[in-house]
Amino acid sequence: MIAVTFPDGASRQYEPGVSGLDIAKRISPSLAKRTVAMALNGKLTDLSDQIDHDAKIEFVTRDDPRALELIRHDCAHVLAEAVQELFPGAQVTIGPVIENGFYYDFFRPEPFTLEDLPAIEKKMREIIARDAAIAREVWTRDQAKAWFSAKGEVFKGELIDAIPGGEDLKIYRQGQWLDLCRGPHMPSTGRVGGAFKLMKVAGAYWRGDHNNPMLSRIYGTAFAKQEDLDAYLHRLEEAERRDHRRLGREMDLFHFQEEAPGAIFWHQKGWTLFQTLVSYMRRRQQEAGYEEVNTPQVLDRGLWETSGHWETYREHMFLTKTEDERTFALKPMNCPGHVQIFKNGLKSYRDLPAKIAEFGVVHRYEPSGALHGMMRVRAFTQDDAHIFCSEDQIMDEALKINDLILSIYEDFGFGDVLVKLSTRPEKRVGADEAWDKAEAALYKVLDVLKARGQKTAVTPGEGAFYGPKLEYALRDAIGREWQCGTTQVDFNLPGRFGAFYIGPDSEKKTPVMIHRAMFGSLERFTGILIEHFAGHLPLWLSPAQIVVCTITQDADDYAREAVATARQLGLLVEADLRNEKIAYKVREHSLAKVPVLLVVGKKEAAERTVSVRRLGSQAQTSSSLDEALAALAQEATPPDVKG
RNA sequence: GCCGGUUUAGCUCAGCAGGUAGAGCAACUGAUUUGUAAUCAGUAGGUCGCGGGUUCGAAUCCUGCAACCGGCACCA
């Protein structure tokens, strides 16, 4: 007999080979009915699994959070069965669970379109209603190979070949249909339930490699309960309402047009916001000992050959050939320019660390399909800096950067930050010893951060071609992650450009260069802020802080006076003296996301007060003009100036 | 770049089976002087993304290109 221990600590004896389902049934039929899987010694597995040794068991019911993955995974299988029923000849490939749902990739000469989804979804509901048992079988590799190749499933065949030799293969059968799968699965298709929806179709490369054929991917999502699905769909709508492209138009911040794909036309208000960010960053950097510079937009091709960018990124550079047949590139990065500044004039070890910063406008010819509003553009501004230092200063400098970045994010309300260490990629320059040193320094930084309780991660092979990096990903108001800041240790470029400093021993030494950005792309960061705040920017960031709205003409003079006073306090304020009803004005400015409306009528003019209405609230408070403006001026002071 | 979709007035969208375009909001002009998310009336506004083709006739059908949207790949 074997001893099976339950979550409450109780233990019972069973004959070896008893299945999870048997145990559940013996406890109570209703438990068996509700249970979709079990956690055996903490590992999620099929309910039909036999238990041969003493074990801890926990039944996972359908409403258990752990069941969600199974529901989605089974739903993906149901999708595949439905597709193969409706579209004979469509080949199955893989269908994993992803964040917020699942997908399944099919191979088919004609890709699926949105119009195919309702029929597929209908068929899926049929399959779920059939409630066929999902049974696991173990096949030999040859058996599986033969079965799938007989069906013309060449992609499954490839998958089978990729599974390490000797291993038996798991096959899950549901009704007439079966699939090669790692599992686990629920006992029957009916357990998927009705709270699912096919979301979209997309092309995707087989095995994620663009040299491979393109598959037709169907995305779906599934939840345990309909209300969870509804809530998810509602969240998607919410994200759409926050879309910076939509808000950018509604708030009159910027626009795009065909003639400049991937480049922003900044309107007055958007540019004001942009400049607010620049001013903020400039103050923070100056305080941190950076020296701001500016380097040329257009630089000779030779410079990019020296840096190595030509070799790796030529096809992503904007090139220009002049009449004298000289090839220049619009700078895609600022580093070569900053190295030139470092090289200009003899540097001593006493000059280190030299921190050269620039709000550098860079151009990159991004693939057309990569463009996305302000989040991915072809011309953008980096809050870029390069720190030239000695090897033993790396860790200290990286930590200083870290602290500055986290403090800056905090000022914008981003408290949840993940620090990732990305190590050497396959395609890289420089000796492995240099990489060893650079990575070692960053690992040490990561250790310090971990000790402080900072969230960290390591992503192997994701470093830049010239060095490993720390990347800073912040989480926004609706839980999305945005990678913004970066710290990259570079043992290569300074040497390639022949940069050096004179050490204490009077010998020439090659400095290490740390590339670093905090917002990353100012354009992208602006977009993130818009979405994070859903357009409701804090007063200090708002490019149109106040509108003084009159109720009748009687208050015009008073409104003008209020505007003048507010401007003296540095506030961004306009008057709305139009002959419109106050409700009309309130609506219009609220839609334009103006944070503060000061409403003035006869009464306010006589009493020298204002009625204050804040964006997002119906409440009105009355206070004296001077007090209201003083409070607003205080609120509109940037956090770093407030101290 | 690859797959799919979209492109009609400043914005949101009709215009489904080819017979030279409509609505609401915005704009403009009047009237209205108004108390916290749309006052009323009138007027004007479109090479239907761009090019080529089919047709007596194309916003509508075919085709090339571009931009955008959703993914994939890419992201120094």
Side-chain angles (χ1 to χ4, degrees):
Chain A
M1 295 299 267
I2 56 167
V4 172
T5 312
F6 298 96
D8 61 1
S11 178
R12 289 201 212 180
Q13 302 284 317
Y14 294 96
E15 68 283 7
V18 67
S19 78
L21 187 61
D22 292 336
I23 297 177
K25 273 183 184 157
R26 282 186 230 170
I27 292 171
S28 92
S30 81
L31 175 68
K33 217 169 165 185
R34 285 196 325 254
T35 299
V36 294
M38 60 181 167
L40 205 57
N41 296 322
K43 192 170 172 280
L44 214 57
T45 168
D46 290 329
L47 209 49
S48 60
D49 267 11
Q50 296 190 343
I51 305 168
D52 297 318
H53 304 284
D54 289 359
K56 275 200 276 192
I57 190 173
E58 193 181 347
F59 292 114
V60 175
T61 57
R62 203 171 167 281
D63 49 6
D64 188 302
R66 284 170 292 184
L68 188 57
E69 195 169 321
L70 298 175
I71 291 169
R72 289 174 174 172
H73 192 181
D74 286 17
C75 200
H77 275 220
V78 169
L79 165 61
E81 180 179 357
V83 162
Q84 292 205 307
E85 231 176 282
L86 290 170
F87 304 91
Q91 294 187 48
V92 289
T93 67
I94 56 162
V97 173
I98 52 171
E99 196 183 359
N100 297 324
F102 62 88
Y103 66 78
Y104 207 110
D105 283 347
F106 301 93
F107 181 75
R108 204 174 158 241
E110 280 284 292
F112 294 108
T113 71
L114 233 37
E115 280 88 72
D116 295 323
L117 296 189
I120 297 172
E121 206 173 291
K122 192 168 161 238
K123 179 61 74 179
M124 287 172 72
R125 292 190 195 282
E126 267 176 58
I127 292 166
I128 290 166
R130 283 181 217 151
D131 197 19
I134 301 176
R136 195 182 67 200
E137 300 171 9
V138 176
W139 290 12
T140 65
R141 173 185 303 264
D142 292 343
Q143 210 180 341
K145 221 28 228 210
W147 199 85
F148 284 108
S149 68
K151 292 196 71 179
E153 299 277 8
V154 301
F155 293 91
K156 277 290 173 195
E158 267 192 56
L159 287 177
I160 293 168
D161 290 339
I163 294 172
E167 236 175 80
D168 278 335
L169 306 177
K170 285 191 224 168
I171 298 288
Y172 282 84
R173 186 189 288 277
Q174 54 193 53
Q176 301 297 305
W177 188 82
L178 56 79
D179 195 5
L180 170 77
C181 184
R182 224 179 264 131
H185 281 280
M186 301 190 289
S188 71
T189 58
R191 311 294 174 107
V192 170
F196 72 92
K197 185 173 161 60
L198 297 184
M199 304 297 289
K200 54 196 174 193
V201 292
Y205 298 108
W206 167 234
R207 295 184 149 176
D209 185 335
H210 65 274
N211 299 308
N212 287 340
M214 178 141 298
L215 308 173
S216 185
R217 174 174 297 179
I218 297 176
Y219 282 96
T221 191
F223 290 88
K225 298 192 297 278
Q226 184 63 34
E227 57 194 272
D228 292 346
L229 173 62
D230 292 342
Y232 173 67
L233 296 176
H234 185 77
R235 276 211 307 284
L236 289 184
E237 283 170 32
E238 173 59 26
E240 208 178 306
R241 269 194 290 279
R242 286 169 180 263
D243 192 311
H244 72 282
R245 292 165 296 193
R246 174 205 193 106
L247 287 170
R249 189 180 51 242
E250 289 172 4
M251 296 167 72
D252 192 18
L253 300 177
F254 57 84
H255 84 268
F256 291 90
Q257 64 187 54
E258 267 195 52
E259 290 80 356
I264 300 167
F265 289 79
W266 285 104
H267 298 191
Q268 183 272 133
K269 282 185 188 143
W271 193 239
T272 300
L273 169 56
F274 186 96
Q275 289 302 327
T276 299
L277 294 177
V278 169
S279 304
Y280 168 84
M281 186 58 83
R282 184 168 279 142
R283 287 193 303 271
R284 298 295 314 254
Q285 285 185 348
Q286 263 164 9
E287 192 186 28
Y290 287 82
E291 292 175 5
E292 187 176 328
V293 302
N294 190 267
T295 59
Q297 273 318 303
V298 178
L299 292 148
D300 190 275
R301 157 185 176 164
L303 212 58
W304 306 108
E305 287 172 346
T306 304
S307 71
H309 289 99
W310 187 263
E311 167 84 11
T312 322
Y313 289 108
R314 184 180 14 188
E315 62 277 31
H316 297 295
M317 287 162 78
F318 283 94
L319 299 177
T320 163
K321 195 179 247 178
T322 48
E323 210 162 342
D324 54 358
E325 296 294 303
R326 219 175 138 179
T327 302
F328 292 89
L330 262 71
K331 66 173 173 184
M333 289 197 84
N334 304 299
C335 21
H338 291 183
V339 176
Q340 304 316 309
I341 289 186
F342 179 83
K343 278 176 66 181
N344 201 264
L346 202 57
K347 295 289 184 298
S348 118
Y349 70 94
R350 291 201 190 87
D351 297 318
L352 306 187
K355 306 181 180 182
I356 301 177
E358 176 175 4
F359 293 98
V361 178
V362 295
H363 287 78
R364 299 178 180 180
Y365 191 74
E366 303 285 4
S368 56
L371 301 181
H372 178 89
M374 293 208 289
M375 303 306 193
R376 191 79 184 272
V377 288
R378 286 181 175 154
F380 60 100
T381 313
Q382 291 179 315
D383 58 332
D384 204 1
H386 295 91
I387 296 170
F388 294 85
C389 62
S390 64
E391 267 180 46
D392 50 14
Q393 289 172 323
I394 295 174
M395 193 183 147
D396 199 31
E397 289 305 316
L399 264 176
K400 279 185 192 160
I401 295 166
N402 172 81
D403 296 350
L404 187 56
I405 289 181
L406 294 181
S407 155
I408 283 167
Y409 290 176
E410 196 77 48
D411 276 347
F412 290 88
F414 298 116
D416 187 357
V417 182
L418 173 68
V419 185
K420 283 188 289 193
L421 168 57
S422 296
T423 58
R424 67 192 80 184
E426 274 179 38
K427 204 174 169 187
R428 60 177 184 267
V429 296
D432 280 352
E433 298 79 67
W435 281 91
D436 290 342
K437 280 192 247 175
E439 285 177 4
L442 291 189
Y443 268 113
K444 268 196 224 160
V445 172
L446 213 61
D447 285 341
V448 173
L449 298 187
K450 264 192 259 179
R452 286 187 199 164
Q454 171 66 48
K455 258 200 326 197
T456 63
V458 177
T459 48
E462 298 288 313
F465 74 86
Y466 47 72
K469 53 191 184 183
L470 291 178
E471 303 187 302
Y472 291 79
L474 48 85
R475 196 175 277 280
D476 76 6
I478 54 174
R480 294 173 302 183
E481 247 183 35
W482 301 96
Q483 200 212 287
C484 295
T486 178
T487 298
Q488 308 172 358
V489 178
D490 181 354
F491 278 87
N492 291 299
L493 280 191
R496 279 172 161 256
F497 279 108
F500 65 87
Y501 65 94
I502 306 298
D505 53 2
S506 300
E507 294 292 316
K508 283 187 183 178
K509 297 226 169 11
T510 305
V512 177
M513 184 159 100
I514 301 176
H515 307 240
R516 160 252 84 149
M518 304 200 278
F519 288 146
S521 151
L522 269 290
E523 286 77 359
R524 183 159 172 275
F525 197 76
T526 305
I528 293 168
L529 287 177
I530 292 168
E531 301 205 354
H532 173 65
F533 290 115
H536 294 219
L537 295 168
L539 203 60
W540 74 280
L541 288 173
S542 176
Q545 295 165 331
I546 303 170
V547 175
V548 180
C549 301
T550 52
I551 291 179
T552 68
Q553 271 175 346
D554 298 328
D556 282 4
D557 287 341
Y558 179 57
R560 288 195 192 95
E561 188 195 330
V563 166
T565 313
R567 287 203 176 133
Q568 273 167 13
L569 292 168
L571 290 161
L572 300 170
V573 57
E574 298 294 337
D576 185 349
L577 308 180
R578 290 176 304 171
N579 177 13
E580 294 290 352
K581 285 191 167 176
I582 190 62
Y584 181 88
K585 296 184 183 181
V586 166
R587 176 183 153 81
E588 201 173 88
H589 300 304
S590 298
L591 287 174
K593 309 276 191 272
V594 175
V596 179
L597 298 183
L598 299 181
V599 176
V600 295
K602 245 185 201 165
K603 184 165 124 297
E604 285 78 8
E607 296 169 355
R608 298 196 60 75
T609 58
V610 287
S611 169
V612 185
R613 182 186 167 121
R614 306 290 303 229
L615 181 60
S617 161
Q618 249 104 273
Q620 303 148 38
T621 56
S622 180
S623 61
S624 86
L625 175 63
D626 292 339
E627 277 172 30
L629 292 183
L632 290 170
Q634 170 62 20
E635 185 183 338
T637 306
D640 64 309
V641 176
K642 250 185 225 169

